Amino acid sequence: MAKYDKRRINELIDGTLEFYQLKDMMTSHKDPERFEVYREVLQDRVSWDDPILLPYGLHLYIVQKANGDRIVKCDCGHEFCGYKDNWKLHARIYVRDTEEKMNEIYPKLMSPDPEWQVIREYYCPGCASQLDVEAVPPWYPIVLDFEPDIDTFYNEWLKKPLPTVKA
């Protein structure tokens, strides 16, 4: 039996847990069903049926399509690309690379020098949700954050089968 039910996991995602509840959750033994309950809660929150295999970031998931493809998908349903590709290259990117653009978010004279650092903001083309922000040198490449080994995660860590596509 799971220690944390869907109600508690929803509160965790919404950021409405009291500090003592959050501390207890972080420091207690991780019950084996917690990931599945978390995945089910995330699945309940989206309008599409592709099974979520793994949360990938704020508003982003790795899902399995009916044809077996594993892709990165946003809350809104926008499909970016295969999960081994860099979803950031398929996002809307806003680059703060001038003093004027930096001053929109920093107090005057407290922003980074745009010749040394730019801020890249990644947005979903489908719903305009901000998905990621990077503060990097101007010449720095757009890097894939991570490439999870989904099969190993399910088979060796969770010791459970992958979620299946609903018929």
Side-chain angles (χ1 to χ4, degrees):
M1 180 167 163
K3 181 175 179 180
Y4 299 104
D5 60 9
K6 285 186 173 186
R7 181 186 59 79
R8 183 61 51 93
I9 298 298
N10 266 304
E11 291 171 349
L12 172 68
I13 293 169
D14 292 337
T16 59
L17 283 178
E18 295 292 330
F19 176 75
Y20 75 90
Q21 295 170 311
L22 182 60
K23 183 177 184 259
D24 178 59
M25 186 179 277
M26 291 185 329
T27 59
S28 67
H29 179 73
K30 307 302 183 254
D31 57 282
E33 300 303 317
R34 188 181 305 180
F35 178 78
E36 184 56 29
V37 172
Y38 177 55
R39 198 192 65 71
E40 288 173 8
V41 167
L42 294 174
Q43 192 76 57
D44 291 345
R45 289 172 165 239
V46 295
S47 61
W48 32 266
D49 292 330
D50 299 324
I52 294 172
L53 302 179
L54 200 65
Y56 196 62
L58 194 57
H59 305 291
L60 292 177
Y61 311 93
I62 297 174
V63 304
Q64 183 145 337
K65 301 295 292 174
N67 66 2
D69 290 348
R70 295 175 181 173
I71 64 166
V72 177
K73 191 168 187 172
C74 183
D75 286 334
C76 71
H78 179 78
E79 298 180 356
F80 283 87
C81 57
Y83 84 101
K84 291 186 177 185
D85 296 328
N86 193 344
W87 67 268
K88 293 176 185 177
L89 299 175
H90 302 271
R92 300 275 187 229
I93 306 171
Y94 181 72
V95 181
R96 294 185 187 273
D97 56 0
T98 66
E99 186 176 337
E100 293 78 26
K101 290 178 183 178
M102 292 289 191
N103 287 341
E104 292 173 359
I105 57 172
Y106 284 99
K108 197 162 182 76
L109 302 175
M110 296 191 69
S111 65
D113 181 339
E115 290 186 30
W116 289 87
Q117 179 178 310
V118 297
I119 297 175
R120 294 186 195 136
E121 301 171 3
Y122 299 91
Y123 294 90
C124 175
C127 65
S129 290
Q130 188 176 64
L131 304 173
D132 200 5
V133 177
E134 297 173 330
V136 295
W139 47 264
Y140 201 74
I142 296 175
V143 178
L144 177 64
D145 291 328
F146 75 110
E147 187 180 316
D149 183 343
I150 295 170
D151 294 310
T152 298
F153 177 66
Y154 274 87
N155 295 330
E156 296 180 24
W157 285 70
L158 296 177
K159 299 190 184 331
K160 295 183 182 268
L162 286 152
T164 55
V165 177
K166 294 177 185 175

